[in-house]
Amino acid sequence: MSIKPSTDSEGSGISQLSDEGSGISQPSDEVTLTVSDAARAVLSVSPQKWLTEGDPVTLNCEVDGSSTGWTFSWFTETLSLDLSDRYKPLSDSRRGAGGKYSVSSVALNHTGVYVCRAERGKPTYETWYSNTQPLWVTGVSPPVSLIISPSRTQHFTSDFLSLSCGDQSNSDRWTVRRYSDSGRPEDCSSSVSGSQTGSTCTISSTSTLDTGVYWCQSESGEKYNPVNITVHSDVILESPVHPVTEGETLTLRCLFKYTSPSNLRSDFYKDESLVQNQTIEMIIPTVSKSHEGFYSCKHPRGESLKSWISVRGSHSESQISVLKILTSVLAACPYLIVTVVLIYKCCRMRRKKPE
């Protein structure tokens, strides 16, 4: 018996066993080859992806099926179709082991779509890029405002919808972008019935595919004023487009497309808990930070999608606090001056006292 390479027509290269002189050959023993894919990183966000300027947030990156020895890198996703340019590393993208990227106080420029990746060993073994996780940060006074008409976050199908970036000083430098079910940022005009002219995007006939987060983006990549827009066929929640200021009144209505008037008695929910039932509208006379959350409505004709309502601090309250501090300091100044003068005089008298 001798081992000879196979010479079949397809050049398989499988060795065969041959009895000398007999011309009889048999296949070799089976060899099992196992090819393993690269491990995948999994990204999550805590406490939530909708944030108000100044809130804390943490991105958590884990490697599926493994736990130790990894070093993590962090990226934001771009509009580029070229895979080599699709992910832009953060300036402080490497934060060592642990898989946590924390920001104690988010700013407007933290708005974006994030991914992570992990590596370990020598030679370096890298995971695939993680799933995407968007962060949406609403600010107190952003330099540009996303103006939506009709002015609400939820819209019926087949509606006309206009979105524009309201910066009268330099409107040409802004473009409306969106993040939808496609899973990556794209131009607003990518909508089936969408078109972009300057800083204005119009959707002539909305569909459920137009559901997504829309924002204004500058030529240099700055992102401002993200708004979550949803499109539904029958029932929608009428809620304010932009954050509500503490102390203001918040009014919510449940609208049904096929009745006139469209607002009917409905149940209203916050974070999936019933807060008010069988009313035409839900009114919160004095909004506080505790009212921030996801709201929806329901009546026999159907149920709306959820809308995030953000609450920001009052400017007047901040100003009053500063004034109180200044007033207290000024009121205390005379006493401090008198105290210093008395101490100075006492010291001089002690020096002049004869021994």
Side-chain angles (χ1 to χ4, degrees):
M1 298 270 295
S2 63
I3 300 177
K4 298 180 180 180
S6 169
T7 56
D8 57 59
S9 59
E10 296 188 9
S12 65
I14 298 176
S15 297
Q16 296 179 332
L17 297 177
S18 176
D19 290 331
E20 291 183 0
S22 67
I24 300 174
S25 63
Q26 295 178 345
S28 66
D29 294 336
E30 290 184 358
V31 176
T32 302
L33 297 178
T34 302
V35 179
S36 59
D37 292 333
R40 182 172 293 277
V42 179
L43 182 62
S44 59
V45 60
S46 176
Q48 59 194 11
K49 62 184 180 181
W50 280 98
L51 304 161
T52 303
E53 193 176 7
D55 287 348
V57 70
T58 298
L59 295 171
N60 301 289
C61 192
E62 299 177 332
V63 179
D64 199 13
S66 185
S67 59
T68 59
W70 295 99
T71 299
F72 297 87
S73 299
W74 309 86
F75 308 81
T76 54
E77 192 171 18
T78 69
L79 291 169
S80 176
L81 296 175
D82 186 349
L83 289 177
S84 62
D85 297 326
R86 186 170 179 178
Y87 302 112
K88 178 183 177 182
L90 302 184
S91 58
D92 56 348
S93 65
R94 291 182 178 273
R95 298 210 174 185
K100 292 184 182 297
Y101 183 93
S102 296
V103 180
S104 59
S105 178
V106 295
L108 294 177
N109 61 6
H110 286 112
T111 288
V113 180
Y114 292 79
V115 297
C116 67
R117 196 174 192 179
E119 62 180 49
R120 71 178 178 184
K122 292 184 179 180
T124 302
Y125 175 85
E126 292 183 328
T127 66
W128 296 109
Y129 287 105
S130 72
N131 56 300
T132 57
Q133 277 289 358
L135 289 182
W136 311 117
V137 183
T138 57
V140 176
S141 55
V144 62
S145 180
L146 182 62
I147 301 170
I148 300 173
S149 180
S151 183
R152 59 186 185 228
T153 57
Q154 295 194 15
H155 300 267
F156 293 118
T157 53
S158 303
D159 272 358
F160 176 86
L161 179 61
S162 172
L163 308 100
S164 60
C165 297
D167 179 8
Q168 300 301 323
S169 61
N170 192 4
S171 60
D172 290 339
R173 67 185 288 256
W174 299 99
T175 305
V176 179
R177 304 282 196 229
R178 73 172 187 172
Y179 180 81
S180 63
D181 288 339
S182 65
R184 60 187 305 272
E186 58 190 5
D187 289 332
C188 177
S189 58
S190 61
S191 169
V192 174
S193 57
S195 62
Q196 180 110 15
T197 304
S199 63
T200 299
C201 174
T202 57
I203 301 174
S204 58
S205 181
T206 55
S207 74
T208 54
L209 296 176
D210 294 316
T211 292
V213 178
Y214 293 73
W215 67 88
C216 294
Q217 186 162 323
S218 69
E219 294 171 347
S220 59
E222 299 165 304
K223 307 177 186 71
Y224 293 107
N225 222 199
V227 176
N228 186 33
I229 293 177
T230 58
V231 180
H232 201 223
S233 57
D234 298 328
V235 177
I236 64 173
L237 178 73
E238 186 178 63
S239 61
V241 170
H242 300 299
V244 185
T245 303
E246 284 185 310
E248 291 183 347
T249 299
L250 172 63
T251 301
L252 304 175
R253 296 182 182 89
C254 202
L255 307 181
F256 182 58
K257 186 175 184 178
Y258 303 106
T259 62
S260 182
S262 60
N263 51 332
L264 301 175
R265 290 189 175 275
S266 310
D267 297 336
F268 291 87
Y269 295 81
K270 176 182 180 288
D271 299 326
E272 299 185 353
S273 295
L274 180 67
V275 291
Q276 197 164 318
N277 65 335
Q278 291 303 297
T279 58
I280 291 178
E281 58 185 17
M282 174 179 167
I283 299 176
I284 302 175
T286 306
V287 171
S288 66
K289 192 69 174 177
S290 64
H291 291 116
E292 196 169 66
F294 284 98
Y295 287 79
S296 62
C297 65
K298 181 192 295 185
H299 61 65
R301 303 296 180 93
E303 182 176 359
S304 76
L305 299 174
K306 297 178 180 67
S307 278
W308 171 259
I309 294 180
S310 179
V311 179
R312 62 190 176 194
S314 170
H315 284 299
S316 59
E317 287 183 3
S318 301
Q319 292 171 354
I320 289 171
S321 297
V322 172
L323 288 173
K324 283 182 177 179
I325 293 171
L326 289 174
T327 302
S328 300
V329 171
L330 291 173
C333 280
Y335 297 101
L336 291 173
I337 293 171
V338 170
T339 302
V340 171
V341 170
L342 289 174
I343 293 173
Y344 175 74
K345 286 185 175 181
C346 288
C347 290
R348 288 194 66 182
M349 289 176 67
R350 284 183 178 181
R351 289 176 184 174
K352 290 181 178 181
K353 186 176 181 180
E355 295 181 358

